[in-house]
Amino acid sequence: MTALALKLNPSADLFQEDFAANSGDLPGAGLAWLDERREKAMDAYVMTGVPNRRVEAWKFTDLASELEDRLESTAAGSAPYIDEKVFGVAEGARVVLVNGILWDVTQAEGLEIVDLGKIDAKTPDWVCANLGLLASGPDQPMGAASLALMRSGVAVRVKASGVLNLDFVNPPLARDAVSHTRILIVVEQGASLKLLQSHSGAGTHQSFANIGIEFVLKAGAQLEHVVLQAEAATAIHVASIGAVVARDAQYRALYAATGARLSRLDVNIHLDGPGAHASINNVAVPGYGIADTTTVMDHAKPHTTSRQLFKSVVGGRGRSVSQGRVLVREGAVKSDSHQLFKALLMSPRAEADAKPELEIFADDVVCGHGTAIGALDEDALFYLRARGIPEAEARGLLVRAFLEDAISGIAGEAVHDALWRKLDVALAAFDGAET
Amino acid sequence: MSMLEIDDLHVVVDGKEILKGITLSIPAGEVHAVMGPNGSGKATLSYTLAGRAGYEVTRGRILYRGEDLTALKPEERAAKGMFLALQYPVEIPGVVTLNFLKTALNAQRRARGEPEVDALRTLKLVREKATALKIGEDMLKRPLNAGFSGGEKKRLEILQMALFEPKLAILDETDSGLDIDALKLVADGVNMLRAPDRAMLVITHYQRLLSHIVPDRVHVLAKGRIVKSGGADLALELEQRGYEQVAAA
């Protein structure tokens, strides 16, 4: 099967060649534990290579055909334009990565931050104990590639509570380029972190940001995770998230995607102890490209709960892909999961693909799902207009109303308002992108 | 002066002619009722007057205060002082009722070149009108019509009418889905808004609403035409004898 996949998918060579030629020069090369994990990840990646539509989990998103061109790795050194704090949150630590390479770290009390680009024998044990164990298997091939080829990144440990602004800034590149970046976050027992992650970009060259993110949530830990993907229109963006959520720990996420020619959020959550909970709200507003969020919610232990809400507003020739696989393993009784997929199509050529999937191997569980895809409600539009609200404003009001429940209720007002500012810009651009 | 002048109005919906030549005139200060059985064209008449897309005027015209409305959008008609209270007010989760009221009020004011009102002033205006309709502040904080009872929805429609102060109000089956107490509350709200410079068109299937909102004229609509007009007594006659007999007489 491996050989066949390789033949079908010659672009797999792109990253294999990179690994063959450069693995000895990658950060931490020579550390036995890391070499071994990188090798293993490369093997996992090679099983599919860059995924195309023949890979079931990628049937709606053909990354291979988008990555036909050869891409060189980015290097540090280009001057970043640093956005104001994207979410308007002044507190906490800040990590800035420029074209996938760590640029700047502002420390804050309560957070331990390690530069993965300088990983060596002195790297703390908690990094060695965790790095590369998640988002690196054959089920997340691009995550595996991001570990095998990791050039930069950070590891963060939270012992009590903290806020981390994690800003990926992608200034214009001089040529097409790829970056492989890893993020590891360990939230210790009973600790909590608010993680505000942004991706912003500009330029006309093809950039491919390949990011692997690991979350280790110990018992009772809490992670609030907000992602705003506002990449340049030529960018390709793949982020693979792997999380282990221990007993009574909670992962609460809001993912928003407004940019990129192709973006894929590949999420794998492992609910690993009674009382573990994950909630994901996903908001995608593609006006031209593909915005794909694919999740696997793995209820591995009894009494675990998950909630997922996918909302897309699609304009122009944009396409949203929302896939949610819920797995309830044998013995994971009293698991409780729900997922809801809703999409609004704002133009005749807009497309939304939604695919809920359930695999249940335990009794006494509650698993619900629902899907609704359609245009704006004409009755509602007429109602608002008949009360004097002009058509464009009425449409905007209804779109806002549609998305609001997915955006409210996480990370506070400043974040809520910052997200809306970006979403408003993306939605306003729909009219120009029509047909 | 005539507030509304409908002249030989023909309307086609989905390729089918529903209104087949309606002529009707409502002077300022009067309340007229249009009564008709199911399928007579009542809803088509109200949607056409409000300018809903898909209701194509193929012949005749609608004059509102002397101006031909046919080419105007729904929001333009609203800004000019027309108001349609819907039979089924639409539920819009995610839009807070009070915000909606402020947005609509200011959209109309903007279109008329009047200064906008801020949130505080809106709240004050709304409060003044809401008390009589027994609309509490909690209802205004809820999403627009979402989860409202039938009575709550209709009261909110009348609240909007009071807030926007239209010159012409069209009430489409405002009595549907109301129990007796709610009906009385809504009718009292409407009666309070009767004024010499305001006209109303009450569209209804049943006579019972017209016991509370007593019209100056009653018109019977059947198969897309006004087949009979008369005073308030005509509504009672319809109730006793039925549409078929009265229409045939």
Side-chain angles (χ1 to χ4, degrees):
Chain A
M1 185 220 154
T2 304
L4 182 65
L6 272 173
K7 264 184 206 159
L8 290 171
N9 194 0
S11 60
D13 292 341
L14 179 73
F15 299 130
Q16 262 185 295
E17 276 173 26
D18 186 7
F19 190 69
N22 300 312
S23 63
D25 301 322
L26 294 171
L31 295 171
W33 65 271
L34 185 56
D35 286 348
E36 194 182 309
R37 286 176 204 176
R38 286 194 193 258
E39 291 274 358
K40 201 175 155 204
M42 194 28 80
D43 291 345
Y45 161 74
V46 166
M47 288 177 74
T48 51
V50 176
N52 60 21
R53 283 171 179 267
R54 291 187 192 89
V55 178
E56 178 63 21
W58 294 74
K59 64 186 274 191
F60 297 110
T61 302
D62 195 341
L63 183 62
S65 74
E66 294 286 334
L67 276 184
E68 274 172 356
D69 303 329
R70 302 195 65 82
L71 303 172
E72 292 177 56
S73 287
T74 55
S78 52
Y81 66 99
I82 303 289
D83 211 346
E84 285 303 295
K85 289 202 169 175
V86 177
F87 294 103
V89 174
E91 59 185 313
R94 190 179 193 203
V95 169
V96 178
L97 296 109
V98 176
N99 290 325
I101 307 289
L102 183 62
W103 177 267
D104 189 34
V105 174
T106 310
Q107 299 274 359
E109 209 173 322
L111 300 186
E112 196 180 335
I113 301 176
V114 172
D115 180 353
L116 293 177
K118 294 184 178 141
I119 193 164
D120 58 23
K122 287 175 291 195
T123 297
D125 287 345
W126 63 267
V127 177
C128 316
N130 292 292
L131 181 67
L133 301 181
L134 303 171
S136 57
D139 54 339
Q140 289 177 293
M142 297 318 296
S146 75
L147 176 68
L149 296 167
M150 174 184 77
R151 297 301 207 284
S152 187
V154 289
V156 179
R157 181 158 74 143
V158 193
K159 284 187 190 156
S161 75
V163 176
L164 175 62
N165 289 278
L166 179 61
D167 295 324
F168 290 79
V169 183
N170 301 319
L173 293 161
R175 52 185 166 73
D176 295 351
V178 60
S179 59
H180 299 281
T181 311
R182 292 290 294 195
I183 305 293
L184 165 68
I185 309 267
V186 178
V187 188
E188 295 290 355
Q189 187 169 340
S192 67
L193 178 70
K194 185 192 278 189
L195 174 60
L196 305 174
Q197 177 183 337
S198 77
H199 302 265
S200 52
T204 51
H205 276 277
Q206 189 186 109
S207 67
F208 174 36
N210 188 35
I211 303 159
I213 302 173
E214 300 173 74
F215 295 131
V216 179
L217 274 61
K218 303 282 179 66
Q222 303 227 2
L223 175 58
E224 205 170 31
H225 185 204
V226 179
V227 180
L228 172 62
Q229 183 276 101
E231 296 266 27
T234 52
I236 296 175
H237 171 106
V238 177
S240 307
I241 296 176
V244 172
V245 185
R247 169 188 282 266
D248 294 324
Q250 296 198 340
Y251 174 68
R252 295 179 185 279
L254 167 56
Y255 309 139
T258 67
R261 179 155 61 102
L262 183 157
S263 73
R264 162 85 167 205
L265 199 47
D266 209 53
V267 183
N268 196 329
I269 312 272
H270 195 78
L271 299 171
D272 202 34
H277 172 81
S279 70
I280 293 173
N281 285 2
N282 185 75
V283 172
V285 294
Y288 45 88
I290 301 172
D292 176 338
T293 297
T294 295
T295 67
V296 177
M297 189 62 72
D298 184 350
H299 289 257
K301 296 284 158 62
H303 295 276
T304 49
T305 54
S306 67
R307 293 288 176 272
Q308 297 182 77
L309 176 62
F310 294 80
K311 290 221 167 164
S312 308
V313 178
V314 191
R317 291 168 184 248
R319 190 149 67 87
S320 78
V321 176
S322 316
Q323 304 187 92
R325 185 155 77 92
V326 171
L327 173 63
V328 180
R329 291 190 189 260
E330 207 179 326
V333 294
K334 305 281 182 192
S335 285
D336 181 339
S337 101
H338 191 263
Q339 40 183 355
L340 181 59
F341 301 81
K342 284 183 142 186
L344 269 184
L345 303 178
M346 303 295 285
S347 90
R349 311 192 81 143
E351 182 179 329
D353 300 301
K355 186 183 168 203
E357 221 180 325
L358 289 174
E359 287 176 67
I360 302 172
F361 302 101
D363 294 326
D364 194 14
V365 300
V366 180
C367 291
H369 66 84
T371 307
I373 296 173
L376 270 187
D377 180 5
E378 288 296 326
D379 288 335
L381 194 58
F382 170 70
Y383 186 69
L384 296 179
R385 293 180 70 189
R387 298 300 145 91
I389 301 173
E391 185 176 1
E393 194 181 345
R395 284 182 181 277
L397 206 63
L398 292 174
V399 168
R400 266 185 163 265
F402 173 78
L403 292 177
E404 178 62 22
D405 69 332
I407 292 165
S408 59
I410 188 161
E413 207 172 326
V415 170
H416 171 268
D417 294 351
L419 284 170
W420 265 118
R421 279 195 295 278
K422 294 285 184 185
L423 290 167
D424 279 339
V425 170
L427 290 165
F430 275 14
D431 297 334
E434 206 83 15
T435 74
Chain B
M1 171 191 158
S2 221
M3 195 62 84
L4 181 69
E5 191 90 46
I6 302 173
D7 183 23
D8 190 32
L9 182 67
H10 291 249
V11 173
V12 168
V13 183
D14 288 334
K16 191 169 175 242
E17 188 170 66
I18 306 293
L19 300 185
K20 300 168 181 170
I22 288 187
T23 298
L24 186 66
S25 173
I26 309 179
E30 289 196 4
V31 174
H32 285 209
V34 165
M35 299 184 70
N38 292 333
S40 59
K42 298 193 301 292
T44 299
L45 177 61
S46 61
Y47 281 142
T48 305
L49 292 174
R52 183 161 191 173
Y55 293 77
E56 192 194 348
V57 176
T58 52
R59 186 147 40 113
R61 57 181 191 166
I62 306 164
L63 293 182
Y64 165 70
R65 305 173 88 190
E67 180 188 4
D68 193 337
L69 280 184
T70 321
L72 294 187
K73 296 171 182 172
E75 56 267 35
E76 293 168 333
R77 299 179 196 211
K80 285 179 183 292
M82 279 185 70
F83 180 84
L84 167 65
L86 284 172
Q87 180 179 8
Y88 302 110
V90 182
E91 298 193 9
I92 309 184
V95 174
V96 174
T97 302
L98 189 62
N99 291 350
F100 158 74
L101 294 174
K102 177 170 169 269
T103 304
L105 183 64
N106 279 329
Q108 293 188 22
R109 294 179 66 92
R110 210 162 46 233
R112 291 194 292 262
E114 297 166 10
E116 296 190 19
V117 291
D118 62 18
L120 210 62
R121 176 85 189 123
T122 310
L123 185 61
K124 195 161 173 286
L125 279 171
V126 171
R127 267 195 198 131
E128 279 167 20
K129 321 276 185 188
T131 318
L133 289 159
K134 295 193 178 155
I135 292 175
E137 217 128 299
D138 58 320
M139 202 169 130
L140 299 171
K141 286 176 185 157
R142 281 155 62 190
L144 181 57
N145 289 321
F148 284 24
S149 70
E152 285 176 325
K153 284 179 185 169
K154 295 299 169 74
R155 268 147 58 200
L156 187 66
E157 292 291 280
I158 304 307
L159 172 65
Q160 292 175 56
M161 180 170 146
L163 184 66
F164 302 149
E165 300 181 322
K167 293 280 174 234
L168 173 67
I170 302 151
L171 288 85
D172 185 8
E173 307 265 4
T174 293
D175 50 332
S176 72
L178 295 186
D179 60 29
I180 296 169
D181 291 337
L183 181 71
K184 191 166 180 319
L185 195 62
V186 166
D188 288 348
V190 172
N191 285 330
M192 278 196 311
L193 295 169
R194 293 176 85 144
D197 62 346
R198 181 173 290 144
M200 294 189 198
L201 178 60
V202 180
I203 296 173
T204 181
H205 185 119
Y206 298 104
Q207 182 273 335
R208 64 171 195 164
L209 178 65
L210 303 181
S211 303
H212 299 278
I213 305 171
V214 180
D216 298 293
R217 298 281 293 167
V218 173
H219 310 276
V220 181
L221 184 66
K223 292 175 185 157
R225 288 191 186 90
I226 303 259
V227 293
K228 192 164 187 174
S229 295
D233 295 347
L234 182 56
L236 289 168
E237 190 189 338
L238 277 170
E239 191 76 8
Q240 281 154 11
R241 297 176 59 204
Y243 281 109
E244 258 179 57
Q245 280 207 33
V246 173

